[in-house]
């Protein structure tokens, strides 16, 4: 019926308003009812909402985490393994901050001894300024963990404490304090210093696993192909002819030597695949087939812009947003390969989750480097849980200095406690009761069994089924 002046009769308007009010009322009532109700479950061990946080904290605190990417070394690698207060203070994350608060030029800083560098950073970032950044707070947390003064004008007491430690026992203590076991190293067969240890034979260590890092081969072939050629591999500058097969032979030899749990490469924000480059040819003809042959995942860390300020050395890298269609192409075109992926740009995080929903051979991992700050970790991890459930690996430490695992993993647990508690509270409000067993299963999956399902983390030489 056509309505006069486009208006409804008053009676009908009133009826509709009443219906709408009732609907809204009903909706709110249902919501309020559901929040007040005890969730339905066949399990008798449901935890009360008030106990969710403390149970989550307890499970996080008592579950040993696998640290799938670090730059730590087993004691057999001698001086390559960094530890102690001077190394903690000269971490490149802190060096970058130091140059913002000190007049010392990079040139002057690099001319100092490590001890003097550490003193300068301590004075600038910890004495003359309040150590509120993530990396400075980390040092404070490590000092506190060892009952060392956190506000001392100098480093004398800290230095004498670390000097008194013996490395094996110290590692055992540190990993226990951090709640990690095992940790995965980053092992570069083309680093002459490191390669020498491997070539002499390295006994396997219960707490350290290897990862075969490929940056020099895949991203810097022109300055490294001759090293392979010098070792008897038939490769050339253009990576032509049998080069692919020979790089594959090189990888097979290093696979035998290192027993790595994955292969890895860090890629620039400009990475494209497929595109005719030497790196991509070697990726396709050598690395991906080798990963399939040895049943290893390939870790892709995408988005670094190397040396935007070379005068800062290791602290001089930045990041850029990558085009993750390269990842889409890899995951789709190589379904028999598995890809562990971390992206450095905040803007790429959401796409990474979406791709993980499309490809089960893609495992997002970690909040890498510039992403490893509580506010961003929180954002990324919430998004991953919302989109992927527990089918991802939330974090790695990227520790370069042994004791860093203490604060990095403490911070991860603290942030995750908040996120998981809220997730379970919402789930409970939605009607699914939560047991301690659920929380244990989820935390174990996130921080252990996803990694265990993707890589063989047992010590080389131990019983393998
Ligand atoms: O986080 C870092 O310390 C970076 O310098 C890199 O090492 C990065 O994690 C990488 O593995 O390339
Ligand atoms: Zn790293």
């Amino acid at each position: 019926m056509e309505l006069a002046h486009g208006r409804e009769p008053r009676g009908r308007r009133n009826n509709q308003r009443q219906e709408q009010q009732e609907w809204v009322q009903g909706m709110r009532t249902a919501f309020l009812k559901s929040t007040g109700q005890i969730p339905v479950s066949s399990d008798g061990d449901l935890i009360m909402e008030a106990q969710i946080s403390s149970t989550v904290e307890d499970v996080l605190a008592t579950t040993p985490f696998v640290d799938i990417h670090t730059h730590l070394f087993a004691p057999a690698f001698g001086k390559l393994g960094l530890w102690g207060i001077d190394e903690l203070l000269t971490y490149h994350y802190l060096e970058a901050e130091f140059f913002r608060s000190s007049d010392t030029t990079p040139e002057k800083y690099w001319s100092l001894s490590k001890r003097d560098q550490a003193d300068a950073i301590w004075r600038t970032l910890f004495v003359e300024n309040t150590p509120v950044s993530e990396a400075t707070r980390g040092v404070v947390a490590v000092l506190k963990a060892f009952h060392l003064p956190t506000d001392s004008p100098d480093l004398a007491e800290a230095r004498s404490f670390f000097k008194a430690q013996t490395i094996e026992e110290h590692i055992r203590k540190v990993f226990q304090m951090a709640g990690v076991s095992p940790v995965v190293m980053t092992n570069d067969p083309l680093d002459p210093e490191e390669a020498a240890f491997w070539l002499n034979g390295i006994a396997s260590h219960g707490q350290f696993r290897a990862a075969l890092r490929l940056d020099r081969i895949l991203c810097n072939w022109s300055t490294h192909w001759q090293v392979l050629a010098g070792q008897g591999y038939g490769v050339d500058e253009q990576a032509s002819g049998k080069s692919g097969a020979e790089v594959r032979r090189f990888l097979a030899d290093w696979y035998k030597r290192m027993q790595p749990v994955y292969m890895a490469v860090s890629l620039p924000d400009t990475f494209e695949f497929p595109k005719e480059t030497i790196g991509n040819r070697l990726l396709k003809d050598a690395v991906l087939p080798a990963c399939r042959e040895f049943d290893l995942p390939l870790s892709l860390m995408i988005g670094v812009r190397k040396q935007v300020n070379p005068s800062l050395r290791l602290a001089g890298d930045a990041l850029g947003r990558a085009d993750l269609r390269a990842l889409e192409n890899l995951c789709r075109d190589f379904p028999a390969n598995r890809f562990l992926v971390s992206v450095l740009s905040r803007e790429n995080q959401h796409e990474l989750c979406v791709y993980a929903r499309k490809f089960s051979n893609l495992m997002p991992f970690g909040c890498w480097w510039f992403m490893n700050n509580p506010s961003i970790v929180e954002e990324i991890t919430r998004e991953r849980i919302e989109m992927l459930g527990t089918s991802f690996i939330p974090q790695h430490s990227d520790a370069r200095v042994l004791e860093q695992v203490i604060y990095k993993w403490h911070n991860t647990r603290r942030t995750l406690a908040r996120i998981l508690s809220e997730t379970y509270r919402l789930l409970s409000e939605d009607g699914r009761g939560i047991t301690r067993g659920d929380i244990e299963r989820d935390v174990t999956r996130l921080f252990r069994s996803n990694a265990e399902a993707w890589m063989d983390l047992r010590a080389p030489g131990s019983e393998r089924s």
Side-chain angles (χ1 to χ4, degrees), residues 403-430:
E403 298 84 359
Q404 287 171 342
V405 290
I406 296 173
Y407 87 83
K408 290 186 183 240
W409 283 113
H410 174 77
N411 291 358
T412 296
R413 284 186 169 88
R414 185 161 55 186
T415 306
L416 260 290
R418 254 197 325 271
I419 298 171
L420 288 177
S421 299
E422 198 192 311
T423 303
Y424 292 129
R425 225 176 340 261
L426 291 174
L427 179 59
S428 169
E429 284 174 15
D430 285 342

Side-chain angles (χ1 to χ4, degrees), residues 99-125:
F99 292 120
R100 299 193 53 74
S101 297
S102 164
D103 291 336
T104 309
T105 62
E107 294 66 34
K108 169 80 184 142
Y109 175 82
W110 300 121
S111 74
L112 302 175
S113 67
K114 173 138 303 197
R115 192 185 167 96
D116 288 347
Q117 290 173 345
D119 282 333
I121 290 183
W122 179 257
R123 209 171 35 249
T124 302
L125 296 182

Side-chain angles (χ1 to χ4, degrees), residues 69 71 91-93 213 266 301 306 368-369 398 400:
H69 172 56
H71 298 265
Y91 184 34
H92 69 91
Y93 291 26
R213 184 79 174 229
S266 126
M301 304 176 81
K306 292 257 182 222
W368 177 27
W369 200 345
D398 232 313
R400 280 178 183 269

Side-chain angles (χ1 to χ4, degrees), residues 209-406:
R209 301 288 174 275
L212 178 44
R213 184 79 174 229
L214 304 170
D215 291 24
R216 294 189 207 215
I217 292 176
L218 293 181
C219 306
N220 225 338
W221 179 253
S222 63
T223 43
H224 292 100
W225 70 272
Q226 278 165 317
V227 181
L228 273 76
Q231 292 172 8
Y233 297 95
V235 296
D236 62 42
E237 189 171 4
Q238 296 313 314
S240 60
K242 59 180 181 159
S243 293
E246 285 294 277
V247 170
R248 196 168 161 184
R249 186 163 71 84
F250 172 86
L251 295 176
D253 290 343
W254 280 92
Y255 171 76
K256 268 191 230 122
R257 209 167 270 135
M258 285 181 177
Q259 295 286 298
V261 296
Y262 60 79
M263 297 196 196
V265 60
S266 126
L267 294 160
D269 58 326
T270 51
F271 173 63
E272 286 176 64
F273 189 94
K275 186 188 181 188
E276 187 41 43
T277 64
I278 288 180
N280 279 349
R281 201 172 332 132
L282 293 174
L283 181 61
K284 190 159 143 305
D285 295 345
V287 176
L288 292 173
C291 285
R292 291 193 295 272
E293 181 182 350
F294 302 121
D295 194 23
L296 297 181
L298 175 63
S299 165
L300 304 172
M301 304 176 81
I302 308 172
V304 63
R305 294 190 60 227
K306 292 257 182 222
Q307 297 297 281
V308 299
N309 185 353
S311 71
L312 301 191
R313 300 193 182 173
L314 206 49
D317 296 347
L319 66 84
R321 180 185 179 149
D323 183 349
L324 292 192
R325 269 174 287 200
L327 182 60
E328 170 189 326
N329 296 333
L330 282 167
C331 290
R332 191 186 45 243
D333 297 350
F334 299 93
N337 280 95
R338 288 171 294 129
F339 301 94
L340 282 162
V341 179
S342 211
V343 285
L344 198 48
S345 158
R346 185 178 176 194
E347 286 72 18
N348 280 138
Q349 303 298 333
H350 185 238
E351 293 163 88
L352 180 62
C353 286
V354 173
Y355 280 127
R357 293 173 64 92
K358 308 298 133 191
F359 299 107
S360 60
N361 60 338
L362 165 58
M363 175 70 82
F365 79 94
C367 300
W368 177 27
W369 200 345
F370 307 114
M371 299 297 98
N372 192 2
N373 299 305
S375 61
I376 301 182
V377 171
E378 181 144 357
E379 171 185 296
I380 295 173
T381 309
R382 281 184 194 280
E383 182 172 64
R384 287 175 176 173
I385 289 177
E386 284 162 358
M387 294 180 78
L388 304 174
T390 52
S391 67
F392 68 99
I393 298 173
Q395 193 54 301
H396 63 272
S397 77
D398 232 313
R400 280 178 183 269
V401 183
L402 176 68
E403 298 84 359
Q404 287 171 342
V405 290
I406 296 173

